Amino acid sequence: VRKPDGVKLRLSNKQFYTLLGKLGISRQTYVVIYDDMGGLNAGRLFWQLEQIGHPRVSVLNGGLVGWIQDGHKITGQATKPATASYPPVQEFRDNDIAYPAVREQIKTDQSLFLDVRSLEEYRGSPRLPRSGHIPGALWWPWENSINLGNAFRHKPLKDIQAQLDQIGVTPKKPIILYCRTGHRASQSYLNLRELGYTRVQLYDGSMAEYSQHRDAPLMKSTSH
């Protein structure tokens, strides 16, 4: 889904329910998600399933790469699921935040912003007037949680928590994650949820939307 300005956003809940039904997923289905990108795509789907409060969701650590490395079978045969009904739900997890609320949180300083992009993106470029990071945002690149030499599996949770402790991330404050389009940030959302953080939100529009607002404050830096 795209807004008129070209910023990609998630499917609407109505569209998502329809898609889940076509895939044979109901509220009773236990969904196990995997990808081959260290959780980038799996984290995105996990975030949206949590948003609608799907009861049973897991993500396969290491994804398809780890599955193959461990000697498990794979197939190239397509699965044709029987359709199911996914009824609209009334209760949602508060894990999504829109631009107006982001601006309000910047003013109040009640939330902790976590930028999971590259260091170059976080610092910003002197040649690009609308680059840099949200004022006060901490920097923690999403790939810091991945063991690239071990089938893209997540690092031990204690190691990830130690990284977050070092930069000042605390569960005492609500956390707002962002990247450029919400893709990398959803993988970090998965990490924080695995660690037991409950007050975590993803800014879906992320910097692709934020930087288009000319009055939205941005900060450049030569360090982090």
Side-chain angles (χ1 to χ4, degrees), residues 173-184:
K173 265 191 170 185
I175 298 170
I176 299 172
L177 295 158
Y178 73 91
C179 53
R180 174 160 176 76
T181 61
H183 194 193
R184 290 170 284 180

Side-chain angles (χ1 to χ4, degrees), residues 119-155:
L119 182 57
E120 291 74 20
E121 290 172 295
Y122 177 82
R123 286 175 171 172
S125 169
R127 298 186 298 274
L128 299 174
R130 300 299 295 160
S131 67
H133 57 273
I134 292 175
L138 301 177
W139 176 65
W140 185 64
W142 75 272
E143 66 269 21
N144 272 14
S145 66
I146 298 297
N147 190 332
L148 299 177
N150 187 22
F152 300 103
R153 291 181 175 88
H154 292 179
K155 292 178 180 176

Side-chain angles (χ1 to χ4, degrees), residues 6-82:
V7 176
K8 293 177 68 177
L9 295 175
R10 66 176 177 82
L11 293 174
S12 68
N13 287 332
K14 183 178 180 181
Q15 292 170 317
F16 194 40
Y17 299 145
T18 300
L19 176 60
L20 291 173
K22 287 181 178 179
L23 294 173
I25 297 172
S26 70
R27 290 287 288 180
Q28 288 71 47
T29 304
Y30 179 23
V31 179
V32 180
I33 312 168
Y34 70 89
D35 60 23
D36 59 357
M37 301 178 66
L40 278 175
N41 291 330
R44 182 73 182 184
L45 181 55
F46 174 82
W47 168 72
Q48 193 157 357
L49 284 169
E50 277 220 326
Q51 204 276 328
I52 63 169
H54 190 79
R56 301 176 67 207
V57 187
S58 295
V59 175
L60 179 61
N61 191 12
L64 186 62
V65 178
W67 180 265
I68 294 172
Q69 192 178 82
D70 290 343
H72 300 298
K73 293 181 179 180
I74 60 171
T75 178
Q77 184 176 355
T79 300
K80 296 181 179 179

Side-chain angles (χ1 to χ4, degrees), residues 150-170:
N150 187 22
F152 300 103
R153 291 181 175 88
H154 292 179
K155 292 178 180 176
L157 292 180
K158 63 180 180 61
D159 294 345
I160 298 175
Q161 184 61 65
Q163 292 181 32
L164 296 172
D165 290 342
Q166 188 173 17
I167 64 172
V169 175
T170 171

Side-chain angles (χ1 to χ4, degrees), residues 201-220:
Q201 292 179 308
L202 172 67
Y203 174 27
D204 190 21
S206 281
M207 199 53 68
E209 177 185 50
Y210 185 88
S211 62
Q212 292 188 16
H213 292 270
R214 296 295 175 181
D215 64 336
L218 280 166
M219 181 176 292
K220 290 184 172 70

